[in-house]
Amino acid sequence: MNKNVKSTPASLEDPVLRALRESAEPVSGEALAARLGLSRAAVWKRINRLKALGYVIQGSPRRGYRLLAIPDKLFPPEISQGLKTRYLKGPIHHFETVPSTNDLIKELAAKNAPEGTLVVAEGQTRGRGRLGRAWESPPGVGLYVSLLLRPPLPPTEMPQITLTAAVAVVRALRRLTGLAPGIKWPNDLLLNGKKLGGILTEMETESDRIRYLVVGLGLNVNNLDLPPELKDTATSLALAAGRTFSRLNILTAWLEEFEALYQRFLAREFPEILEEWKRYTVTLGRPVRVRQGPVEICGQALEVAPDGALLVQTGTGEIVRVTSGEIAPGPGEGPGAEDLS
Ligand code: BTN
């Protein structure tokens, strides 16, 4: 691991934490020591380490220790704790800061990390967006997570997995926040016409198969201060709703929704997922401009093909298949698309 990576202290897998979590009543230092085969001093030391990580532990000399609150962090035990997935459940790697969770998970993937491996970071110093852009990743407020998949499929199926991941985000946010983000093709998440999040999918292939695929999700959750250059075009859940949200709950909800959809995807049910994607999208039926490198295509966003490509009808009536690029509103459209709420 390079020097730009700040990882989480190992004490998170602490048995003392597990014991406190399991007990609704205060537990005495003596009982903890006896149950865990530790000295009283070792228990005390571990309690202090947990407190330093932000766990709120009440200690009373007569009654013992009680866990009152967990920190606003994406610590692996907290993620695993509430996660109801069957197989997309880690190993979970948590970092305070990394350059990019996608880059880090690729290093793990190259060392044979299994499907379901997760890399989460509180902040990124070189977060990456689509089309070579940077992804603003201030610490502690957003969700920056990469999930490793190893689908036994050809590389041509990658766009469909990305659309599936976006549907999972919308489902999770609708369920948890009551907000109804829209999807701008292929996988930009929008709220009130502004960018809320995005997905960067990357893969490694071998002959005609996906060796591994990384789904990197970036979501502005509790950001209140956006950089001046993003103020007009980006938003966060907190800015839209006027309250903060648990990043932990959003992450687990996304994983649960994604696992359910991914299983359906693997069972060849992508057409149904695409129908749902179409219900959330703000792109279809609108005039669009598509930049594909130096070329710009103007027309009406007609349909999404079964493989996830966008079909744009130009002024001459020609239908152009767009498989990558950046969609901007067409002539006569506002600065961004509307959300569904
Ligand atoms: C986009 O351009 O819309 C995609 C943004 C994806 C950002 C996420 S944050 C977690 C993961 N790590 C990265 O470096 N990028 C993705």
Side-chain angles (χ1 to χ4, degrees):
M1 278 295 105
N2 73 36
K3 63 177 172 20
N4 295 323
V5 174
K6 209 167 144 211
S7 66
T8 307
S11 61
L12 276 180
E13 300 298 341
D14 203 309
V16 169
L17 176 61
R18 209 171 316 127
L20 290 180
R21 208 199 293 280
E22 280 163 9
S23 166
E25 297 299 313
V27 200
S28 72
E30 199 175 341
L32 281 171
R35 191 175 341 150
L36 304 173
L38 297 167
S39 69
R40 292 279 299 275
V43 168
W44 183 79
K45 224 166 142 185
R46 280 163 189 256
I47 295 271
N48 281 343
R49 235 186 276 153
L50 290 167
K51 283 183 178 172
L53 286 169
Y55 286 86
V56 182
I57 299 168
Q58 189 184 48
S60 113
R62 278 189 302 117
R63 306 191 63 208
Y65 298 107
R66 194 167 154 198
L67 179 62
L68 295 184
I70 61 168
D72 178 19
K73 295 272 189 175
L74 299 165
F75 288 153
E78 306 306 336
I79 297 173
S80 314
Q81 159 85 353
L83 194 59
K84 294 191 208 72
T85 50
R86 281 197 292 141
Y87 67 97
L88 294 182
K89 46 165 60 178
I92 306 172
H93 302 264
H94 174 269
F95 300 90
E96 275 303 314
T97 336
V98 287
S100 153
T101 54
N102 265 32
D103 292 347
L104 209 133
I105 207 165
K106 285 196 231 166
E107 285 178 26
L108 298 174
K111 292 180 199 144
N112 289 327
E115 173 156 271
T117 297
L118 271 178
V119 171
V120 286
E122 300 295 329
Q124 298 181 118
T125 51
R126 281 204 306 278
R128 295 189 291 108
R130 287 176 61 237
L131 309 170
R133 299 203 178 114
W135 187 258
E136 255 324 288
S137 313
V141 288
L143 207 53
Y144 319 110
V145 51
S146 298
L147 170 66
L148 182 67
L149 299 175
R150 294 186 180 277
L153 295 171
T156 45
E157 307 233 1
M158 178 173 110
Q160 304 179 11
I161 297 182
T162 314
L163 299 191
T164 302
V167 170
V169 181
V170 175
R171 278 188 175 194
L173 293 181
R174 284 181 170 230
R175 168 150 72 86
L176 283 183
T177 68
L179 297 166
I183 306 175
K184 188 176 91 163
W185 185 89
N187 47 43
D188 277 4
L189 298 148
L190 300 186
L191 201 54
N192 303 324
K194 294 181 170 186
K195 184 137 171 174
L196 178 72
I199 295 166
L200 176 66
T201 314
E202 297 179 292
M203 68 177 164
E204 179 77 26
T205 58
E206 60 187 340
S207 52
D208 207 22
R209 282 171 70 88
I210 295 174
R211 188 199 298 256
Y212 67 79
L213 189 144
V214 171
V215 181
L217 169 66
L219 197 66
N220 300 332
V221 180
N222 294 326
N223 315 51
L224 293 177
D225 248 346
L226 296 171
E229 68 280 10
L230 294 182
K231 279 213 160 81
D232 292 339
T233 53
T235 190
S236 70
L237 292 174
L239 285 171
R243 68 181 180 97
T244 57
F245 294 89
S246 156
R247 292 176 304 145
L248 199 60
N249 291 347
I250 294 173
L251 173 57
T252 50
W254 175 61
L255 289 168
E256 287 161 12
E257 297 291 353
F258 182 72
E259 181 180 89
L261 287 166
Y262 182 56
Q263 276 173 325
R264 293 182 58 193
F265 168 78
L266 293 175
R268 311 321 281 164
E269 290 179 28
F270 182 67
E272 285 88 335
I273 299 170
L274 186 57
E275 284 312 306
E276 187 170 343
W277 183 94
K278 286 182 193 172
R279 287 207 296 279
Y280 302 146
T281 190
V282 294
T283 302
L284 297 184
R286 290 180 174 238
V288 288
R289 274 180 297 126
V290 189
R291 280 181 229 113
Q292 278 188 310
V295 183
E296 187 171 272
I297 302 158
C298 278
Q300 186 87 2
L302 265 196
E303 234 329 339
V304 174
D307 63 355
L310 182 68
L311 305 182
V312 177
Q313 185 163 38
T314 66
T316 62
E318 186 196 358
I319 294 174
V320 182
R321 259 177 68 86
V322 179
T323 52
S324 70
E326 173 74 353
I327 297 283
E333 289 281 287
E338 285 158 18
D339 72 287
L340 299 177
S341 50

